[in-house]
Amino acid sequence: MQLSITGPRNERRLAIRPYSGSLTYSFHTAGSAVATVTAPRAGDYLVRVPGVGAPGLYEIAIGESVGGQIVAAIGGAFAIGGVFEIAGVALLVVTGVRRSRRRAAAARREP
């Protein structure tokens, strides 16, 4: 399948590069990333797919990469988990120190 994308201000084609990595998705439909393109600015772009064949044979999904969002979500989850882990350790240390002080004070009061 040949695909071309031209810019909004001229008929200059944008560079389409193979997708480096592996990304599959299944939201409302399933698919996989096969190429990447970087638009130099916001605007209306013309996407041409010549000679595709029968209608509905191919579907093209264009949008921002979800790979970075997935990595950010996983990193955020680990960061939140790390904060809770540090808070838990701090709580254990504070509780241990308080208990040992109370035991020491109680031992000094006993005859």
Side-chain angles (χ1 to χ4, degrees), residues 1 9 13 15 18 22 29 42 44 51 56 64 66 76 78 83 85 97:
M1 173 175 67
R9 296 184 181 183
R13 287 180 158 192
S22 174
T29 186
D44 296 326
E64 291 185 41
V66 296
F78 276 111
V83 167
E85 182 178 356
V97 168

Side-chain angles (χ1 to χ4, degrees), residues 48-89:
R48 291 187 180 113
V49 185
V52 170
L57 186 60
Y58 294 99
E59 290 185 12
I60 298 174
I62 299 175
E64 291 185 41
S65 175
V66 296
Q69 295 169 354
I70 292 170
V71 169
I74 292 171
F78 276 111
I80 290 170
V83 167
F84 280 115
E85 182 178 356
I86 291 169
V89 169

